[in-house]
């Protein structure tokens, strides 16, 4: 895990003993009958199953001291946040730093064996898996996600916050905080639909990362879920 003192500075009004939890949540299943990589495209909301997943997570957090709910501006994230905010009588804020990663394959089918990946004109986009060449740099994703987390941590000091984002940004943030290389095999992400990656802070020091799946697991290899 990276040294938190290198990542953030201590707010003057936060006690070193104050425990704060920032739950970084992936949105629920999306209605996506064409199986495209929808990225930041508008109009992609939760499926019936996705709404059920969001409700399950909300119930799992009902007895938690949640004082702040923030979502990516995309529809599927805001809809996932709604039952959580409602149970705690909170409004939902949006933060652009929680948005899905930019991707040049947006709007295309990219499942292995079909779609855009079979067409030679797209192969150049795959030349660099480390930055990566097909989308927003991993390091940029990590930095903006950490900015969202730090802002929420300060505001919800001594309580709990829920931030609803997307699979790649959540997974990139976790790898960054754990001091791991950011490029990775997307088939091995531990970030199921509606899962929680909970960051536990004592004062401004990150002391634990707890992963949970209140709504059950899902296959990270399924594109466009």
């Amino acid at each position: 895990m990276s040294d938190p003192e290198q990542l953030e500075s201590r707010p003057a009004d936060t006690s070193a003993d104050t425990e704060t939890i920032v739950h970084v949540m992936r949105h629920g299943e999306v209605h996506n009958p064409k199986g495209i990589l929808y990225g930041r495209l508008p109009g992609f909301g939760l499926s019936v199953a996705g709404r059920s997943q969001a409700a399950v997570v909300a119930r799992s957090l009902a007895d938690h001291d949640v004082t702040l709910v923030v979502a990516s501006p995309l529809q599927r994230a805001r809809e996932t946040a709604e039952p959580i905010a409602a149970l705690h009588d909170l409004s939902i804020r949006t933060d652009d730093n929680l948005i899905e990663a930019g991707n040049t394959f947006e709007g295309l089918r990219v499942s292995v064996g079909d779609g855009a990946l079979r067409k030679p004109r797209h192969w150049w986009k795959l030349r660099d898996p480390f930055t990566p060449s097909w989308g927003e740099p991993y390091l940029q994703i990590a930095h903006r996600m950490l900015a969202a987390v730090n802002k929420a941590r300060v505001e919800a000091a001594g309580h709990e916050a829920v931030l609803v984002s997307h699979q790649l940004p959540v997974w990139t943030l976790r790898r960054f905080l754990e001091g791991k290389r950011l490029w990775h095999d997307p088939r091995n992400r531990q970030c199921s639909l509606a899962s929680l990656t909970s960051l536990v802070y004592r004062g401004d020091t990150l002391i634990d990362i707890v992963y949970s799946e209140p709504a059950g697991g899902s296959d990270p290899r399924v594109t466009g879920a």
Side-chain angles (χ1 to χ4, degrees):
M1 184 178 297
S2 300
D3 183 358
E5 292 183 358
Q6 296 177 357
L7 304 177
E8 52 194 294
S9 59
R10 177 178 300 170
D13 58 350
T14 301
S15 167
D17 296 325
T18 300
E19 183 171 288
T20 306
I21 301 176
V22 180
H23 304 282
V24 187
M25 181 181 179
R26 182 185 174 192
H27 62 77
E29 182 186 89
V30 175
H31 179 64
N32 182 23
K34 295 183 178 180
I36 68 169
L37 194 156
Y38 39 71
R40 297 178 178 179
L41 294 174
F44 284 88
L46 295 182
S47 65
V48 173
R51 290 186 179 276
S52 177
Q53 290 168 342
V56 168
V57 177
R59 289 194 294 271
S60 77
L61 294 172
D63 295 332
H64 287 241
D65 185 20
V66 176
T67 60
L68 179 67
V69 178
V70 187
S72 154
L74 296 175
Q75 180 181 341
R76 58 192 183 271
R78 291 185 282 107
E79 289 178 350
T80 300
E82 284 172 359
I84 300 171
L87 270 178
H88 294 276
D89 196 25
L90 297 169
S91 59
I92 301 169
R93 297 189 190 175
T94 58
D95 187 336
D96 288 345
N97 281 326
L98 297 172
I99 200 167
E100 177 64 283
N103 194 305
T104 59
F105 289 100
E106 185 176 277
L108 304 176
R109 287 179 57 87
V110 293
S111 299
V112 175
D114 71 354
L117 298 182
R118 295 184 62 184
K119 299 177 181 178
R121 70 174 182 270
H122 292 301
W123 293 350
W124 173 249
K125 299 175 183 177
L126 305 176
R127 66 191 181 278
D128 172 17
F130 307 108
T131 303
S133 53
W134 59 83
E136 183 180 3
Y138 292 131
L139 189 58
Q140 178 174 303
I141 297 170
H143 284 171
R144 64 174 170 82
M145 287 293 290
L146 186 61
V149 167
N150 284 342
K151 182 177 180 181
R153 175 182 59 80
V154 171
E155 184 168 350
H159 307 279
E160 299 180 37
V162 178
L163 276 55
V164 183
S165 185
H166 309 266
Q167 185 191 53
L168 177 55
V170 175
W171 184 239
T172 302
L173 170 69
R174 178 173 168 184
R175 292 184 70 86
F176 182 77
L177 291 174
E178 291 179 339
K180 297 179 179 177
R181 57 174 172 77
L182 299 185
W183 66 274
H184 60 278
D185 184 342
R187 297 170 297 180
N188 296 327
R189 292 172 184 160
Q190 188 183 50
C191 191
S192 290
L193 290 163
S195 60
L196 296 173
T197 299
S198 302
L199 310 178
V200 183
Y201 288 88
R202 182 168 294 128
D204 65 350
T205 301
L206 179 64
I207 61 171
D208 202 6
I209 299 176
V210 181
Y211 175 76
S212 60
E213 298 175 345
S218 63
D219 189 344
R221 297 171 296 178
V222 176
T223 301

